[in-house]
Amino acid sequence: MTSAFRDFARGLSIQVHVIHALILRETRTAFGQHKLGYIWALASHGFFIGIFAAMFVFANRSVPSGMDVIGFLCTGFLTYNLFMGTQGKAKTAVKANVSLLYYPQVHPLDLVAARCLLEIATVMVAFFLFMFANTIYTQHFPLDSALLTLAGLFLAALLGSALGLCTNSLCVLWPTMEQLIGPLLRPLFWISGLFFSIAEIPLFAREALLWNPVLHVIEMTRDGWFKTYNYKFYSFSYVIYWILGLTVLGLITERLNRNKVLSS
Amino acid sequence: MIELRNIYKSYFVNGFRNHVLNNISIVFPDNVNIGILGLNGAGKSTLLRLIAGVELPDEGSIHRTGRISWPIGFSGGFNGSLSGEENCRFVARIYHEDVDRIIGFAQEFAEIGRHFFQPVRTYSSGMKARLAFGLSMAIDFNVYLIDEITAVGDNVFRNKCAKVFDERREHTSIIMVSHNLGTIAKFCDKAAILTRGSMQIFDSVDEAAKIYEAL
């Protein structure tokens, strides 16, 4: 037992060092090119939220259940960005860093993990900054359950990372996929409840929309953030089944592809 | 010590399976510098990558003891958009070494001057190789896997490498692949020849040289 345990502990320590080094390096390549790189990364998350907030105000559209416009859009967009961001980062993680696989201790999955962790950290920072600013602006702190809010955000990140693991392998097998993934996922922007609440949707459409796990995680974040928003149409287990299914599929395809990736 | 048992490796190229290594078994003992000779395309680099653990064999097993380097050569391993210094920083971290010490050593050993702080993509292949060598020398490996040292710069630099290996001889050995007899003779005690997927090891470089020159 002890020797197996020691091997495991040693392997784990190597992996922690590798992922740590990869995250620092990724930080440098992702934000280090410009002086305001990190500010830009945060601001880019605010861009769409600003545009949609302006549209809501000019169209005089109200948001449901006592939510404020910015808070409503932030919970939607940033949860969605966590999903799409991790997916996008994981998709190209190996391709962008293939030269690092030259070091035997760097595993393709480490590349995916490091990129996803950095993306999660960035969006989380954006979420808390925007929510903090909005709380000061509206003079109202609507937080219902911090745990539920975090659950929504983390499940979104896990869902994106798991899907990214699959799209990563698909892109290796079939390079055209890299261009196709974007358009294929684009509809999710419109049907995941970024700028509507599932409670506003008529029953017949609601059931169809609830097939989409991204909508579930966004509803979770909203239910967690707003005391006044209490619609529980989402399901934890449904989202977790998706995550488990995609992770298993992603790991299998990664293993099948590994020799091809390593020899490239 | 590194032991290869019944190693097979093949690649799919345009729908055809290309067998690169066929049932290779060999033991690389500690403290013996071994050169592997082979013509271009004989599978030397593949063998080195398998020994390092960069790639996995189709069949067979590899047992390693001690600390083994990545395959050091003039390609691979560096990110072109980052500077030499930043690349060294990354490697120091993944080997859990003191970052400042590694960077200092690599910079001094590579002797590439201010280029050390420029993006690696601006380097010549000789400069890349010097950096790779400086960096690998900074980390105390037991076995250095070297791919085509012939590409590394001038004689002065090669002598410098030879001197360091000589100083560390007690706990450091080299496995080197090359198609050039001269470099193998300079660095190695024994030599092996890789042809058509199989490998034969000889007790001296001279013995191997006779067979190799007849290829």
Side-chain angles (χ1 to χ4, degrees), chain B residues 48-83:
Chain B
L48 215 55
R49 289 159 68 86
L50 290 175
I51 294 172
V54 178
E55 280 187 63
L56 304 174
D58 295 343
E59 272 179 58
S61 59
I62 301 172
H63 300 269
R64 315 173 181 87
T65 53
R67 211 171 179 201
I68 298 164
S69 80
W70 70 91
I72 305 155
F74 52 95
S75 62
F78 290 130
N79 178 323
S81 61
L82 297 181
S83 72

PDB file of all heavy atoms in Angstrom, chain B residues 48-83:
ATOM      1  N   LEU B  48      14.239   7.840 -29.059  1.00  0.00           N
ATOM      2  CA  LEU B  48      14.581   8.770 -27.980  1.00  0.00           C
ATOM      3  C   LEU B  48      13.320   9.300 -27.292  1.00  0.00           C
ATOM      4  O   LEU B  48      13.275   9.438 -26.067  1.00  0.00           O
ATOM      5  CB  LEU B  48      15.400   9.928 -28.561  1.00  0.00           C
ATOM      6  CG  LEU B  48      16.493  10.510 -27.682  1.00  0.00           C
ATOM      7  CD1 LEU B  48      17.451   9.436 -27.231  1.00  0.00           C
ATOM      8  CD2 LEU B  48      17.240  11.601 -28.426  1.00  0.00           C
ATOM      9  N   ARG B  49      12.310   9.569 -28.102  1.00  0.00           N
ATOM     10  CA  ARG B  49      11.051  10.074 -27.527  1.00  0.00           C
ATOM     11  C   ARG B  49      10.361   9.012 -26.676  1.00  0.00           C
ATOM     12  O   ARG B  49       9.740   9.322 -25.656  1.00  0.00           O
ATOM     13  CB  ARG B  49      10.113  10.540 -28.644  1.00  0.00           C
ATOM     14  CG  ARG B  49      10.588  11.835 -29.314  1.00  0.00           C
ATOM     15  CD  ARG B  49       9.982  11.994 -30.694  1.00  0.00           C
ATOM     16  NE  ARG B  49       8.554  12.221 -30.651  1.00  0.00           N
ATOM     17  CZ  ARG B  49       7.990  13.415 -30.503  1.00  0.00           C
ATOM     18  NH1 ARG B  49       8.761  14.480 -30.418  1.00  0.00           N
ATOM     19  NH2 ARG B  49       6.697  13.552 -30.459  1.00  0.00           N
ATOM     20  N   LEU B  50      10.496   7.758 -27.094  1.00  0.00           N
ATOM     21  CA  LEU B  50       9.931   6.672 -26.289  1.00  0.00           C
ATOM     22  C   LEU B  50      10.679   6.534 -24.973  1.00  0.00           C
ATOM     23  O   LEU B  50      10.074   6.349 -23.915  1.00  0.00           O
ATOM     24  CB  LEU B  50       9.987   5.348 -27.052  1.00  0.00           C
ATOM     25  CG  LEU B  50       9.054   5.199 -28.256  1.00  0.00           C
ATOM     26  CD1 LEU B  50       9.336   3.893 -28.967  1.00  0.00           C
ATOM     27  CD2 LEU B  50       7.604   5.243 -27.810  1.00  0.00           C
ATOM     28  N   ILE B  51      12.017   6.624 -25.036  1.00  0.00           N
ATOM     29  CA  ILE B  51      12.815   6.507 -23.819  1.00  0.00           C
ATOM     30  C   ILE B  51      12.448   7.627 -22.841  1.00  0.00           C
ATOM     31  O   ILE B  51      12.303   7.421 -21.645  1.00  0.00           O
ATOM     32  CB  ILE B  51      14.326   6.554 -24.149  1.00  0.00           C
ATOM     33  CG1 ILE B  51      14.729   5.319 -24.955  1.00  0.00           C
ATOM     34  CG2 ILE B  51      15.154   6.614 -22.866  1.00  0.00           C
ATOM     35  CD1 ILE B  51      16.153   5.360 -25.486  1.00  0.00           C
ATOM     36  N   ALA B  52      12.266   8.829 -23.383  1.00  0.00           N
ATOM     37  CA  ALA B  52      11.929   9.979 -22.535  1.00  0.00           C
ATOM     38  C   ALA B  52      10.526   9.862 -21.955  1.00  0.00           C
ATOM     39  O   ALA B  52      10.245  10.403 -20.893  1.00  0.00           O
ATOM     40  CB  ALA B  52      12.047  11.265 -23.337  1.00  0.00           C
ATOM     41  N   GLY B  53       9.646   9.157 -22.664  1.00  0.00           N
ATOM     42  CA  GLY B  53       8.260   9.080 -22.219  1.00  0.00           C
ATOM     43  C   GLY B  53       7.384  10.130 -22.871  1.00  0.00           C
ATOM     44  O   GLY B  53       6.270  10.370 -22.438  1.00  0.00           O
ATOM     45  N   VAL B  54       7.901  10.769 -23.912  1.00  0.00           N
ATOM     46  CA  VAL B  54       7.091  11.747 -24.643  1.00  0.00           C
ATOM     47  C   VAL B  54       5.990  11.025 -25.414  1.00  0.00           C
ATOM     48  O   VAL B  54       4.861  11.485 -25.493  1.00  0.00           O
ATOM     49  CB  VAL B  54       7.960  12.564 -25.619  1.00  0.00           C
ATOM     50  CG1 VAL B  54       7.110  13.544 -26.404  1.00  0.00           C
ATOM     51  CG2 VAL B  54       9.047  13.288 -24.873  1.00  0.00           C
ATOM     52  N   GLU B  55       6.357   9.870 -25.973  1.00  0.00           N
ATOM     53  CA  GLU B  55       5.369   9.057 -26.676  1.00  0.00           C
ATOM     54  C   GLU B  55       5.298   7.690 -26.028  1.00  0.00           C
ATOM     55  O   GLU B  55       6.220   7.267 -25.333  1.00  0.00           O
ATOM     56  CB  GLU B  55       5.779   8.872 -28.143  1.00  0.00           C
ATOM     57  CG  GLU B  55       5.455  10.048 -29.002  1.00  0.00           C
ATOM     58  CD  GLU B  55       5.714   9.748 -30.458  1.00  0.00           C
ATOM     59  OE1 GLU B  55       5.046   8.847 -30.983  1.00  0.00           O
ATOM     60  OE2 GLU B  55       6.595  10.378 -31.047  1.00  0.00           O
ATOM     61  N   LEU B  56       4.195   6.999 -26.288  1.00  0.00           N
ATOM     62  CA  LEU B  56       4.036   5.664 -25.727  1.00  0.00           C
ATOM     63  C   LEU B  56       4.257   4.628 -26.826  1.00  0.00           C
ATOM     64  O   LEU B  56       3.880   4.847 -27.968  1.00  0.00           O
ATOM     65  CB  LEU B  56       2.628   5.508 -25.171  1.00  0.00           C
ATOM     66  CG  LEU B  56       2.209   6.550 -24.137  1.00  0.00           C
ATOM     67  CD1 LEU B  56       0.744   6.383 -23.773  1.00  0.00           C
ATOM     68  CD2 LEU B  56       3.076   6.445 -22.904  1.00  0.00           C
ATOM     69  N   PRO B  57       4.888   3.481 -26.469  1.00  0.00           N
ATOM     70  CA  PRO B  57       5.049   2.429 -27.468  1.00  0.00           C
ATOM     71  C   PRO B  57       3.711   1.742 -27.761  1.00  0.00           C
ATOM     72  O   PRO B  57       2.808   1.797 -26.941  1.00  0.00           O
ATOM     73  CB  PRO B  57       6.031   1.457 -26.800  1.00  0.00           C
ATOM     74  CG  PRO B  57       5.876   1.694 -25.345  1.00  0.00           C
ATOM     75  CD  PRO B  57       5.475   3.124 -25.172  1.00  0.00           C
ATOM     76  N   ASP B  58       3.610   1.111 -28.943  1.00  0.00           N
ATOM     77  CA  ASP B  58       2.410   0.337 -29.252  1.00  0.00           C
ATOM     78  C   ASP B  58       2.345  -0.903 -28.359  1.00  0.00           C
ATOM     79  O   ASP B  58       1.292  -1.309 -27.899  1.00  0.00           O
ATOM     80  CB  ASP B  58       2.421  -0.122 -30.720  1.00  0.00           C
ATOM     81  CG  ASP B  58       2.357   1.053 -31.678  1.00  0.00           C
ATOM     82  OD1 ASP B  58       1.985   2.151 -31.223  1.00  0.00           O
ATOM     83  OD2 ASP B  58       2.683   0.871 -32.860  1.00  0.00           O
ATOM     84  N   GLU B  59       3.526  -1.511 -28.179  1.00  0.00           N
ATOM     85  CA  GLU B  59       3.620  -2.700 -27.334  1.00  0.00           C
ATOM     86  C   GLU B  59       4.936  -2.627 -26.589  1.00  0.00           C
ATOM     87  O   GLU B  59       5.857  -1.955 -27.011  1.00  0.00           O
ATOM     88  CB  GLU B  59       3.650  -3.967 -28.205  1.00  0.00           C
ATOM     89  CG  GLU B  59       2.291  -4.524 -28.546  1.00  0.00           C
ATOM     90  CD  GLU B  59       2.434  -5.765 -29.419  1.00  0.00           C
ATOM     91  OE1 GLU B  59       3.097  -6.720 -28.960  1.00  0.00           O
ATOM     92  OE2 GLU B  59       1.916  -5.746 -30.547  1.00  0.00           O
ATOM     93  N   GLY B  60       5.028  -3.417 -25.514  1.00  0.00           N
ATOM     94  CA  GLY B  60       6.280  -3.471 -24.767  1.00  0.00           C
ATOM     95  C   GLY B  60       6.287  -2.504 -23.606  1.00  0.00           C
ATOM     96  O   GLY B  60       5.355  -1.718 -23.435  1.00  0.00           O
ATOM     97  N   SER B  61       7.356  -2.589 -22.802  1.00  0.00           N
ATOM     98  CA  SER B  61       7.407  -1.734 -21.621  1.00  0.00           C
ATOM     99  C   SER B  61       8.796  -1.115 -21.474  1.00  0.00           C
ATOM    100  O   SER B  61       9.786  -1.634 -21.982  1.00  0.00           O
ATOM    101  CB  SER B  61       7.060  -2.546 -20.372  1.00  0.00           C
ATOM    102  OG  SER B  61       7.979  -3.606 -20.231  1.00  0.00           O
ATOM    103  N   ILE B  62       8.830   0.023 -20.800  1.00  0.00           N
ATOM    104  CA  ILE B  62      10.072   0.736 -20.563  1.00  0.00           C
ATOM    105  C   ILE B  62      10.195   0.999 -19.069  1.00  0.00           C
ATOM    106  O   ILE B  62       9.258   1.513 -18.452  1.00  0.00           O
ATOM    107  CB  ILE B  62      10.092   2.074 -21.339  1.00  0.00           C
ATOM    108  CG1 ILE B  62       9.936   1.814 -22.835  1.00  0.00           C
ATOM    109  CG2 ILE B  62      11.394   2.838 -21.068  1.00  0.00           C
ATOM    110  CD1 ILE B  62       9.761   3.056 -23.668  1.00  0.00           C
ATOM    111  N   HIS B  63      11.325   0.596 -18.482  1.00  0.00           N
ATOM    112  CA  HIS B  63      11.545   0.845 -17.056  1.00  0.00           C
ATOM    113  C   HIS B  63      12.680   1.835 -16.901  1.00  0.00           C
ATOM    114  O   HIS B  63      13.729   1.678 -17.509  1.00  0.00           O
ATOM    115  CB  HIS B  63      11.874  -0.455 -16.329  1.00  0.00           C
ATOM    116  CG  HIS B  63      10.774  -1.461 -16.443  1.00  0.00           C
ATOM    117  ND1 HIS B  63       9.763  -1.568 -15.527  1.00  0.00           N
ATOM    118  CD2 HIS B  63      10.505  -2.369 -17.409  1.00  0.00           C
ATOM    119  CE1 HIS B  63       8.920  -2.505 -15.920  1.00  0.00           C
ATOM    120  NE2 HIS B  63       9.348  -3.008 -17.053  1.00  0.00           N
ATOM    121  N   ARG B  64      12.455   2.838 -16.070  1.00  0.00           N
ATOM    122  CA  ARG B  64      13.478   3.869 -15.896  1.00  0.00           C
ATOM    123  C   ARG B  64      13.762   4.054 -14.419  1.00  0.00           C
ATOM    124  O   ARG B  64      12.846   4.058 -13.603  1.00  0.00           O
ATOM    125  CB  ARG B  64      13.002   5.208 -16.451  1.00  0.00           C
ATOM    126  CG  ARG B  64      12.350   5.147 -17.799  1.00  0.00           C
ATOM    127  CD  ARG B  64      11.784   6.517 -18.150  1.00  0.00           C
ATOM    128  NE  ARG B  64      11.126   6.494 -19.450  1.00  0.00           N
ATOM    129  CZ  ARG B  64       9.854   6.149 -19.630  1.00  0.00           C
ATOM    130  NH1 ARG B  64       9.118   5.819 -18.596  1.00  0.00           N
ATOM    131  NH2 ARG B  64       9.328   6.153 -20.840  1.00  0.00           N
ATOM    132  N   THR B  65      15.029   4.241 -14.084  1.00  0.00           N
ATOM    133  CA  THR B  65      15.359   4.713 -12.745  1.00  0.00           C
ATOM    134  C   THR B  65      16.203   5.971 -12.922  1.00  0.00           C
ATOM    135  O   THR B  65      16.890   6.142 -13.926  1.00  0.00           O
ATOM    136  CB  THR B  65      16.162   3.666 -11.949  1.00  0.00           C
ATOM    137  OG1 THR B  65      17.296   3.272 -12.714  1.00  0.00           O
ATOM    138  CG2 THR B  65      15.322   2.440 -11.638  1.00  0.00           C
ATOM    139  N   GLY B  66      16.170   6.846 -11.928  1.00  0.00           N
ATOM    140  CA  GLY B  66      16.924   8.094 -12.033  1.00  0.00           C
ATOM    141  C   GLY B  66      16.138   9.154 -12.776  1.00  0.00           C
ATOM    142  O   GLY B  66      15.030   8.921 -13.252  1.00  0.00           O
ATOM    143  N   ARG B  67      16.763  10.303 -12.883  1.00  0.00           N
ATOM    144  CA  ARG B  67      16.098  11.450 -13.492  1.00  0.00           C
ATOM    145  C   ARG B  67      16.537  11.566 -14.949  1.00  0.00           C
ATOM    146  O   ARG B  67      17.727  11.671 -15.231  1.00  0.00           O
ATOM    147  CB  ARG B  67      16.514  12.687 -12.714  1.00  0.00           C
ATOM    148  CG  ARG B  67      15.451  13.731 -12.686  1.00  0.00           C
ATOM    149  CD  ARG B  67      15.828  14.809 -11.726  1.00  0.00           C
ATOM    150  NE  ARG B  67      14.797  15.826 -11.735  1.00  0.00           N
ATOM    151  CZ  ARG B  67      14.986  17.061 -11.325  1.00  0.00           C
ATOM    152  NH1 ARG B  67      16.162  17.420 -10.873  1.00  0.00           N
ATOM    153  NH2 ARG B  67      13.997  17.934 -11.365  1.00  0.00           N
ATOM    154  N   ILE B  68      15.565  11.540 -15.845  1.00  0.00           N
ATOM    155  CA  ILE B  68      15.882  11.491 -17.278  1.00  0.00           C
ATOM    156  C   ILE B  68      15.394  12.765 -17.950  1.00  0.00           C
ATOM    157  O   ILE B  68      14.288  13.232 -17.685  1.00  0.00           O
ATOM    158  CB  ILE B  68      15.231  10.257 -17.908  1.00  0.00           C
ATOM    159  CG1 ILE B  68      15.818   9.006 -17.245  1.00  0.00           C
ATOM    160  CG2 ILE B  68      15.461  10.210 -19.406  1.00  0.00           C
ATOM    161  CD1 ILE B  68      15.039   7.765 -17.483  1.00  0.00           C
ATOM    162  N   SER B  69      16.213  13.318 -18.806  1.00  0.00           N
ATOM    163  CA  SER B  69      15.868  14.597 -19.441  1.00  0.00           C
ATOM    164  C   SER B  69      14.804  14.406 -20.518  1.00  0.00           C
ATOM    165  O   SER B  69      14.469  13.293 -20.889  1.00  0.00           O
ATOM    166  CB  SER B  69      17.108  15.220 -20.059  1.00  0.00           C
ATOM    167  OG  SER B  69      17.386  14.613 -21.305  1.00  0.00           O
ATOM    168  N   TRP B  70      14.292  15.501 -21.021  1.00  0.00           N
ATOM    169  CA  TRP B  70      13.485  15.456 -22.243  1.00  0.00           C
ATOM    170  C   TRP B  70      14.458  15.305 -23.409  1.00  0.00           C
ATOM    171  O   TRP B  70      15.662  15.503 -23.227  1.00  0.00           O
ATOM    172  CB  TRP B  70      12.632  16.717 -22.352  1.00  0.00           C
ATOM    173  CG  TRP B  70      13.397  17.977 -22.650  1.00  0.00           C
ATOM    174  CD1 TRP B  70      13.668  18.491 -23.875  1.00  0.00           C
ATOM    175  CD2 TRP B  70      13.999  18.875 -21.701  1.00  0.00           C
ATOM    176  NE1 TRP B  70      14.395  19.650 -23.743  1.00  0.00           N
ATOM    177  CE2 TRP B  70      14.621  19.906 -22.427  1.00  0.00           C
ATOM    178  CE3 TRP B  70      14.077  18.900 -20.305  1.00  0.00           C
ATOM    179  CZ2 TRP B  70      15.303  20.946 -21.821  1.00  0.00           C
ATOM    180  CZ3 TRP B  70      14.756  19.943 -19.709  1.00  0.00           C
ATOM    181  CH2 TRP B  70      15.359  20.949 -20.459  1.00  0.00           C
ATOM    182  N   PRO B  71      14.004  14.907 -24.600  1.00  0.00           N
ATOM    183  CA  PRO B  71      14.951  14.768 -25.711  1.00  0.00           C
ATOM    184  C   PRO B  71      15.492  16.140 -26.125  1.00  0.00           C
ATOM    185  O   PRO B  71      14.742  16.978 -26.603  1.00  0.00           O
ATOM    186  CB  PRO B  71      14.104  14.168 -26.846  1.00  0.00           C
ATOM    187  CG  PRO B  71      12.832  13.741 -26.227  1.00  0.00           C
ATOM    188  CD  PRO B  71      12.635  14.571 -25.001  1.00  0.00           C
ATOM    189  N   ILE B  72      16.760  16.343 -25.901  1.00  0.00           N
ATOM    190  CA  ILE B  72      17.349  17.663 -26.142  1.00  0.00           C
ATOM    191  C   ILE B  72      17.862  17.738 -27.574  1.00  0.00           C
ATOM    192  O   ILE B  72      18.634  16.894 -28.010  1.00  0.00           O
ATOM    193  CB  ILE B  72      18.524  17.910 -25.178  1.00  0.00           C
ATOM    194  CG1 ILE B  72      18.057  17.733 -23.736  1.00  0.00           C
ATOM    195  CG2 ILE B  72      19.108  19.310 -25.382  1.00  0.00           C
ATOM    196  CD1 ILE B  72      19.180  17.367 -22.809  1.00  0.00           C
ATOM    197  N   GLY B  73      17.428  18.747 -28.273  1.00  0.00           N
ATOM    198  CA  GLY B  73      17.889  18.912 -29.635  1.00  0.00           C
ATOM    199  C   GLY B  73      17.711  20.355 -30.015  1.00  0.00           C
ATOM    200  O   GLY B  73      17.655  21.215 -29.155  1.00  0.00           O
ATOM    201  N   PHE B  74      17.569  20.617 -31.292  1.00  0.00           N
ATOM    202  CA  PHE B  74      17.420  22.019 -31.663  1.00  0.00           C
ATOM    203  C   PHE B  74      15.976  22.367 -31.976  1.00  0.00           C
ATOM    204  O   PHE B  74      15.664  23.474 -32.340  1.00  0.00           O
ATOM    205  CB  PHE B  74      18.341  22.374 -32.835  1.00  0.00           C
ATOM    206  CG  PHE B  74      18.209  21.461 -34.009  1.00  0.00           C
ATOM    207  CD1 PHE B  74      17.384  21.807 -35.048  1.00  0.00           C
ATOM    208  CD2 PHE B  74      18.909  20.272 -34.069  1.00  0.00           C
ATOM    209  CE1 PHE B  74      17.254  20.970 -36.136  1.00  0.00           C
ATOM    210  CE2 PHE B  74      18.780  19.433 -35.153  1.00  0.00           C
ATOM    211  CZ  PHE B  74      17.954  19.778 -36.189  1.00  0.00           C
ATOM    212  N   SER B  75      15.078  21.400 -31.814  1.00  0.00           N
ATOM    213  CA  SER B  75      13.675  21.719 -32.082  1.00  0.00           C
ATOM    214  C   SER B  75      12.862  21.476 -30.821  1.00  0.00           C
ATOM    215  O   SER B  75      13.361  20.995 -29.821  1.00  0.00           O
ATOM    216  CB  SER B  75      13.151  20.820 -33.191  1.00  0.00           C
ATOM    217  OG  SER B  75      13.213  19.479 -32.766  1.00  0.00           O
ATOM    218  N   GLY B  76      11.601  21.836 -30.890  1.00  0.00           N
ATOM    219  CA  GLY B  76      10.638  21.437 -29.886  1.00  0.00           C
ATOM    220  C   GLY B  76      10.861  22.000 -28.497  1.00  0.00           C
ATOM    221  O   GLY B  76      11.960  22.353 -28.106  1.00  0.00           O
ATOM    222  N   GLY B  77       9.792  22.083 -27.756  1.00  0.00           N
ATOM    223  CA  GLY B  77       9.901  22.421 -26.358  1.00  0.00           C
ATOM    224  C   GLY B  77       9.856  23.896 -26.035  1.00  0.00           C
ATOM    225  O   GLY B  77       9.586  24.263 -24.910  1.00  0.00           O
ATOM    226  N   PHE B  78      10.121  24.748 -27.020  1.00  0.00           N
ATOM    227  CA  PHE B  78      10.070  26.181 -26.737  1.00  0.00           C
ATOM    228  C   PHE B  78       8.854  26.821 -27.385  1.00  0.00           C
ATOM    229  O   PHE B  78       8.468  26.461 -28.488  1.00  0.00           O
ATOM    230  CB  PHE B  78      11.322  26.891 -27.262  1.00  0.00           C
ATOM    231  CG  PHE B  78      12.564  26.548 -26.490  1.00  0.00           C
ATOM    232  CD1 PHE B  78      13.709  26.145 -27.146  1.00  0.00           C
ATOM    233  CD2 PHE B  78      12.577  26.630 -25.110  1.00  0.00           C
ATOM    234  CE1 PHE B  78      14.852  25.825 -26.439  1.00  0.00           C
ATOM    235  CE2 PHE B  78      13.718  26.316 -24.395  1.00  0.00           C
ATOM    236  CZ  PHE B  78      14.857  25.909 -25.057  1.00  0.00           C
ATOM    237  N   ASN B  79       8.271  27.770 -26.665  1.00  0.00           N
ATOM    238  CA  ASN B  79       7.185  28.555 -27.230  1.00  0.00           C
ATOM    239  C   ASN B  79       7.783  29.781 -27.910  1.00  0.00           C
ATOM    240  O   ASN B  79       8.465  30.580 -27.272  1.00  0.00           O
ATOM    241  CB  ASN B  79       6.224  28.971 -26.117  1.00  0.00           C
ATOM    242  CG  ASN B  79       5.086  29.827 -26.619  1.00  0.00           C
ATOM    243  OD1 ASN B  79       5.239  30.665 -27.498  1.00  0.00           O
ATOM    244  ND2 ASN B  79       3.918  29.611 -26.066  1.00  0.00           N
ATOM    245  N   GLY B  80       7.540  29.918 -29.214  1.00  0.00           N
ATOM    246  CA  GLY B  80       8.173  30.963 -29.996  1.00  0.00           C
ATOM    247  C   GLY B  80       7.846  32.379 -29.563  1.00  0.00           C
ATOM    248  O   GLY B  80       8.666  33.274 -29.698  1.00  0.00           O
ATOM    249  N   SER B  81       6.626  32.578 -29.021  1.00  0.00           N
ATOM    250  CA  SER B  81       6.238  33.952 -28.703  1.00  0.00           C
ATOM    251  C   SER B  81       6.798  34.395 -27.353  1.00  0.00           C
ATOM    252  O   SER B  81       6.789  35.578 -27.045  1.00  0.00           O
ATOM    253  CB  SER B  81       4.717  34.087 -28.722  1.00  0.00           C
ATOM    254  OG  SER B  81       4.154  33.245 -27.754  1.00  0.00           O
ATOM    255  N   LEU B  82       7.274  33.446 -26.550  1.00  0.00           N
ATOM    256  CA  LEU B  82       7.866  33.821 -25.264  1.00  0.00           C
ATOM    257  C   LEU B  82       9.378  33.943 -25.406  1.00  0.00           C
ATOM    258  O   LEU B  82       9.984  33.340 -26.287  1.00  0.00           O
ATOM    259  CB  LEU B  82       7.530  32.777 -24.198  1.00  0.00           C
ATOM    260  CG  LEU B  82       6.050  32.593 -23.849  1.00  0.00           C
ATOM    261  CD1 LEU B  82       5.881  31.560 -22.766  1.00  0.00           C
ATOM    262  CD2 LEU B  82       5.424  33.897 -23.401  1.00  0.00           C
ATOM    263  N   SER B  83       9.982  34.706 -24.496  1.00  0.00           N
ATOM    264  CA  SER B  83      11.428  34.891 -24.568  1.00  0.00           C
ATOM    265  C   SER B  83      12.144  33.651 -24.033  1.00  0.00           C
ATOM    266  O   SER B  83      11.540  32.771 -23.417  1.00  0.00           O
ATOM    267  CB  SER B  83      11.828  36.102 -23.734  1.00  0.00           C
ATOM    268  OG  SER B  83      11.721  35.806 -22.366  1.00  0.00           O
TER     269      SER B  83
END
